[in-house]
Tab-separated table of all heavy atoms in Angstrom:
chain	number	residue	atom	x	y	z
A	924	GLN	N	4.293	-29.501	7.853
A	924	GLN	CA	4.972	-30.523	7.059
A	924	GLN	C	5.055	-30.151	5.585
A	924	GLN	O	5.560	-30.922	4.778
A	924	GLN	CB	4.255	-31.870	7.204
A	924	GLN	CG	4.276	-32.413	8.618
A	924	GLN	CD	3.932	-33.887	8.673
A	924	GLN	OE1	4.439	-34.677	7.893
A	924	GLN	NE2	3.065	-34.262	9.593
A	925	GLY	N	4.543	-28.963	5.225
A	925	GLY	CA	4.604	-28.519	3.841
A	925	GLY	C	3.716	-29.322	2.921
A	925	GLY	O	4.025	-29.509	1.746
A	926	GLN	N	2.580	-29.834	3.439
A	926	GLN	CA	1.707	-30.685	2.640
A	926	GLN	C	0.499	-29.900	2.134
A	926	GLN	O	-0.149	-29.184	2.904
A	926	GLN	CB	1.230	-31.887	3.454
A	926	GLN	CG	2.335	-32.879	3.755
A	926	GLN	CD	1.815	-34.110	4.486
A	926	GLN	OE1	0.660	-34.161	4.872
A	926	GLN	NE2	2.688	-35.075	4.681
A	927	TYR	N	0.201	-30.079	0.848
A	927	TYR	CA	-0.922	-29.418	0.201
A	927	TYR	C	-1.688	-30.441	-0.624
A	927	TYR	O	-1.144	-31.482	-1.012
A	927	TYR	CB	-0.440	-28.278	-0.709
A	927	TYR	CG	0.218	-27.142	0.033
A	927	TYR	CD1	1.528	-27.243	0.482
A	927	TYR	CD2	-0.471	-25.958	0.285
A	927	TYR	CE1	2.128	-26.205	1.172
A	927	TYR	CE2	0.124	-24.916	0.972
A	927	TYR	CZ	1.424	-25.033	1.410
A	927	TYR	OH	2.004	-24.005	2.093
A	928	ARG	N	-2.948	-30.130	-0.899
A	928	ARG	CA	-3.744	-31.017	-1.746
A	928	ARG	C	-4.283	-30.244	-2.945
A	928	ARG	O	-4.784	-29.124	-2.800
A	928	ARG	CB	-4.906	-31.626	-0.961
A	928	ARG	CG	-5.835	-32.483	-1.831
A	928	ARG	CD	-6.566	-33.507	-1.004
A	928	ARG	NE	-5.633	-34.484	-0.475
A	928	ARG	CZ	-5.864	-35.216	0.609
A	928	ARG	NH1	-6.986	-35.088	1.261
A	928	ARG	NH2	-4.968	-36.097	1.028
A	929	LEU	N	-4.162	-30.857	-4.120
A	929	LEU	CA	-4.742	-30.324	-5.350
A	929	LEU	C	-6.012	-31.100	-5.654
A	929	LEU	O	-6.038	-32.328	-5.544
A	929	LEU	CB	-3.774	-30.466	-6.527
A	929	LEU	CG	-2.360	-29.906	-6.374
A	929	LEU	CD1	-1.640	-30.016	-7.708
A	929	LEU	CD2	-2.370	-28.476	-5.895
A	930	VAL	N	-7.050	-30.390	-6.053
A	930	VAL	CA	-8.310	-31.019	-6.444
A	930	VAL	C	-8.587	-30.641	-7.898
A	930	VAL	O	-8.696	-29.454	-8.230
A	930	VAL	CB	-9.478	-30.555	-5.545
A	930	VAL	CG1	-10.766	-31.234	-5.979
A	930	VAL	CG2	-9.172	-30.857	-4.082
A	931	ILE	N	-8.676	-31.641	-8.757
A	931	ILE	CA	-8.798	-31.421	-10.195
A	931	ILE	C	-10.128	-31.994	-10.675
A	931	ILE	O	-10.434	-33.157	-10.409
A	931	ILE	CB	-7.642	-32.094	-10.966
A	931	ILE	CG1	-6.285	-31.668	-10.386
A	931	ILE	CG2	-7.717	-31.785	-12.445
A	931	ILE	CD1	-5.120	-32.487	-10.915
A	932	ASN	N	-10.887	-31.189	-11.391
A	932	ASN	CA	-12.148	-31.643	-11.989
A	932	ASN	C	-12.053	-31.519	-13.508
A	932	ASN	O	-12.219	-30.426	-14.070
A	932	ASN	CB	-13.317	-30.812	-11.459
A	932	ASN	CG	-13.635	-31.126	-10.015
A	932	ASN	OD1	-14.062	-32.212	-9.699
A	932	ASN	ND2	-13.409	-30.161	-9.133
A	933	PRO	N	-11.746	-32.614	-14.192
A	933	PRO	CA	-11.601	-32.566	-15.648
A	933	PRO	C	-12.955	-32.735	-16.355
A	933	PRO	O	-13.852	-33.400	-15.839
A	933	PRO	CB	-10.689	-33.751	-15.953
A	933	PRO	CG	-10.975	-34.722	-14.861
A	933	PRO	CD	-11.374	-33.925	-13.643
A	934	VAL	N	-13.076	-32.137	-17.529
A	934	VAL	CA	-14.277	-32.329	-18.356
A	934	VAL	C	-13.944	-33.093	-19.630
A	934	VAL	O	-14.836	-33.456	-20.387
A	934	VAL	CB	-14.936	-30.971	-18.694
A	934	VAL	CG1	-15.495	-30.333	-17.454
A	934	VAL	CG2	-13.950	-30.034	-19.392
A	935	ARG	N	-12.656	-33.307	-19.877
A	935	ARG	CA	-12.240	-34.125	-21.014
A	935	ARG	C	-11.071	-34.986	-20.581
A	935	ARG	O	-10.125	-34.516	-19.942
A	935	ARG	CB	-11.834	-33.253	-22.208
A	935	ARG	CG	-11.476	-34.076	-23.465
A	935	ARG	CD	-11.181	-33.168	-24.644
A	935	ARG	NE	-9.955	-32.400	-24.433
A	935	ARG	CZ	-9.663	-31.272	-25.075
A	935	ARG	NH1	-10.540	-30.763	-25.940
A	935	ARG	NH2	-8.535	-30.637	-24.833
A	936	SER	N	-11.123	-36.263	-20.902
A	936	SER	CA	-10.068	-37.191	-20.524
A	936	SER	C	-8.785	-36.888	-21.286
A	936	SER	O	-8.815	-36.349	-22.398
A	936	SER	CB	-10.506	-38.633	-20.785
A	936	SER	OG	-11.664	-38.946	-20.056
A	937	GLY	N	-7.660	-37.270	-20.688
A	937	GLY	CA	-6.372	-37.091	-21.342
A	937	GLY	C	-5.281	-36.849	-20.326
A	937	GLY	O	-5.439	-37.068	-19.119
A	938	GLU	N	-4.116	-36.382	-20.815
A	938	GLU	CA	-2.975	-36.094	-19.950
A	938	GLU	C	-2.922	-34.610	-19.638
A	938	GLU	O	-3.330	-33.776	-20.443
A	938	GLU	CB	-1.669	-36.532	-20.606
A	938	GLU	CG	-1.503	-38.033	-20.703
A	938	GLU	CD	-0.116	-38.408	-21.211
A	938	GLU	OE1	0.610	-37.497	-21.680
A	938	GLU	OE2	0.244	-39.598	-21.144
A	939	ALA	N	-2.387	-34.296	-18.464
A	939	ALA	CA	-2.258	-32.902	-18.059
A	939	ALA	C	-0.939	-32.696	-17.333
A	939	ALA	O	-0.447	-33.589	-16.635
A	939	ALA	CB	-3.416	-32.478	-17.164
A	940	LEU	N	-0.357	-31.521	-17.548
A	940	LEU	CA	0.799	-31.068	-16.772
A	940	LEU	C	0.332	-29.940	-15.870
A	940	LEU	O	-0.385	-29.042	-16.300
A	940	LEU	CB	1.914	-30.575	-17.694
A	940	LEU	CG	2.502	-31.616	-18.661
A	940	LEU	CD1	3.441	-30.942	-19.648
A	940	LEU	CD2	3.240	-32.693	-17.879
A	941	ILE	N	0.716	-29.984	-14.600
A	941	ILE	CA	0.256	-29.010	-13.613
A	941	ILE	C	1.448	-28.200	-13.107
A	941	ILE	O	2.414	-28.769	-12.595
A	941	ILE	CB	-0.444	-29.691	-12.427
A	941	ILE	CG1	-1.506	-30.683	-12.912
A	941	ILE	CG2	-1.030	-28.649	-11.483
A	941	ILE	CD1	-2.645	-30.043	-13.659
A	942	GLU	N	1.362	-26.891	-13.261
A	942	GLU	CA	2.416	-26.000	-12.763
A	942	GLU	C	2.004	-25.465	-11.393
A	942	GLU	O	0.863	-25.036	-11.203
A	942	GLU	CB	2.639	-24.838	-13.732
A	942	GLU	CG	3.748	-23.880	-13.302
A	942	GLU	CD	3.912	-22.717	-14.275
A	942	GLU	OE1	3.139	-21.747	-14.157
A	942	GLU	OE2	4.790	-22.799	-15.139
A	943	VAL	N	2.946	-25.491	-10.441
A	943	VAL	CA	2.659	-25.071	-9.066
A	943	VAL	C	3.584	-23.915	-8.695
A	943	VAL	O	4.814	-24.021	-8.818
A	943	VAL	CB	2.861	-26.237	-8.077
A	943	VAL	CG1	2.479	-25.799	-6.661
A	943	VAL	CG2	2.049	-27.443	-8.495
A	944	ASN	N	2.984	-22.820	-8.239
A	944	ASN	CA	3.750	-21.646	-7.827
A	944	ASN	C	3.373	-21.242	-6.407
A	944	ASN	O	2.249	-21.481	-5.948
A	944	ASN	CB	3.487	-20.460	-8.774
A	944	ASN	CG	3.890	-20.774	-10.199
A	944	ASN	OD1	5.005	-21.204	-10.452
A	944	ASN	ND2	2.964	-20.583	-11.136
A	945	LEU	N	4.317	-20.623	-5.715
A	945	LEU	CA	4.070	-20.063	-4.388
A	945	LEU	C	3.630	-18.616	-4.535
A	945	LEU	O	4.242	-17.852	-5.274
A	945	LEU	CB	5.330	-20.124	-3.528
A	945	LEU	CG	5.972	-21.497	-3.326
A	945	LEU	CD1	7.241	-21.354	-2.486
A	945	LEU	CD2	5.014	-22.447	-2.656
A	946	VAL	N	2.596	-18.239	-3.813
A	946	VAL	CA	2.083	-16.879	-3.898
A	946	VAL	C	2.121	-16.273	-2.502
A	946	VAL	O	1.427	-16.735	-1.585
A	946	VAL	CB	0.634	-16.840	-4.440
A	946	VAL	CG1	0.141	-15.400	-4.509
A	946	VAL	CG2	0.570	-17.489	-5.815
A	947	GLY	N	2.956	-15.265	-2.323
A	947	GLY	CA	3.019	-14.537	-1.068
A	947	GLY	C	2.324	-13.200	-1.200
A	947	GLY	O	1.630	-12.923	-2.174
A	948	GLU	N	2.533	-12.351	-0.211
A	948	GLU	CA	1.858	-11.057	-0.213
A	948	GLU	C	2.288	-10.204	-1.395
A	948	GLU	O	1.499	-9.480	-1.984
A	948	GLU	CB	2.154	-10.331	1.101
A	948	GLU	CG	1.414	-9.018	1.252
A	948	GLU	CD	1.630	-8.409	2.624
A	948	GLU	OE1	1.969	-9.150	3.554
A	948	GLU	OE2	1.461	-7.197	2.742
A	949	SER	N	3.565	-10.306	-1.752
A	949	SER	CA	4.049	-9.461	-2.846
A	949	SER	C	4.991	-10.219	-3.765
A	949	SER	O	5.834	-9.625	-4.410
A	949	SER	CB	4.765	-8.226	-2.272
A	949	SER	OG	5.862	-8.631	-1.483
A	950	VAL	N	4.883	-11.544	-3.770
A	950	VAL	CA	5.827	-12.319	-4.553
A	950	VAL	C	5.153	-13.591	-5.070
A	950	VAL	O	4.310	-14.172	-4.395
A	950	VAL	CB	7.072	-12.681	-3.705
A	950	VAL	CG1	6.671	-13.516	-2.513
A	950	VAL	CG2	8.114	-13.421	-4.531
A	951	THR	N	5.507	-13.974	-6.277
A	951	THR	CA	5.094	-15.253	-6.835
A	951	THR	C	6.336	-15.924	-7.396
A	951	THR	O	7.091	-15.306	-8.150
A	951	THR	CB	4.064	-15.065	-7.965
A	951	THR	OG1	2.899	-14.428	-7.429
A	951	THR	CG2	3.673	-16.406	-8.562
A	952	GLU	N	6.569	-17.166	-7.020
A	952	GLU	CA	7.764	-17.852	-7.523
A	952	GLU	C	7.476	-19.337	-7.652
A	952	GLU	O	6.480	-19.852	-7.113
A	952	GLU	CB	8.958	-17.630	-6.596
A	952	GLU	CG	8.809	-18.230	-5.227
A	952	GLU	CD	10.091	-18.083	-4.410
A	952	GLU	OE1	10.811	-17.091	-4.582
A	952	GLU	OE2	10.345	-18.979	-3.608
A	953	ASN	N	8.340	-20.033	-8.379
A	953	ASN	CA	8.162	-21.460	-8.593
A	953	ASN	C	8.241	-22.215	-7.276
A	953	ASN	O	9.105	-21.940	-6.445
A	953	ASN	CB	9.238	-22.003	-9.540
A	953	ASN	CG	9.091	-21.453	-10.943
A	953	ASN	OD1	8.086	-20.832	-11.272
A	953	ASN	ND2	10.091	-21.665	-11.770
A	954	ALA	N	7.336	-23.167	-7.081
A	954	ALA	CA	7.412	-24.041	-5.911
A	954	ALA	C	8.476	-25.102	-6.150
A	954	ALA	O	8.717	-25.513	-7.282
A	954	ALA	CB	6.061	-24.703	-5.658
A	955	LYS	N	9.137	-25.529	-5.070
A	955	LYS	CA	10.055	-26.660	-5.156
A	955	LYS	C	9.373	-27.854	-4.509
A	955	LYS	O	9.106	-27.858	-3.319
A	955	LYS	CB	11.378	-26.366	-4.456
A	955	LYS	CG	12.369	-27.520	-4.609
A	955	LYS	CD	13.722	-27.190	-4.013
A	955	LYS	CE	14.677	-28.378	-4.195
A	955	LYS	NZ	15.986	-28.131	-3.596
A	956	ILE	N	9.071	-28.873	-5.302
A	956	ILE	CA	8.240	-29.990	-4.863
A	956	ILE	C	9.132	-31.182	-4.505
A	956	ILE	O	9.948	-31.628	-5.308
A	956	ILE	CB	7.251	-30.386	-5.973
A	956	ILE	CG1	6.394	-29.169	-6.379
A	956	ILE	CG2	6.372	-31.530	-5.525
A	956	ILE	CD1	5.581	-29.407	-7.627
A	957	TYR	N	8.970	-31.682	-3.277
A	957	TYR	CA	9.692	-32.880	-2.861
A	957	TYR	C	9.043	-34.143	-3.412
A	957	TYR	O	9.711	-35.075	-3.825
A	957	TYR	CB	9.725	-32.971	-1.330
A	957	TYR	CG	10.982	-32.422	-0.719
A	957	TYR	CD1	10.923	-31.478	0.298
A	957	TYR	CD2	12.233	-32.852	-1.141
A	957	TYR	CE1	12.069	-30.971	0.867
A	957	TYR	CE2	13.383	-32.353	-0.587
A	957	TYR	CZ	13.316	-31.416	0.429
A	957	TYR	OH	14.451	-30.914	1.001
């Protein structure tokens, strides 16, 4: 189903932007998030 989970452990409160990329055997590219 293309489902993944991110687990984030912050040490300082605030806002964050998270970049997600696909990593294959020989390629890294931007993920397309539904």
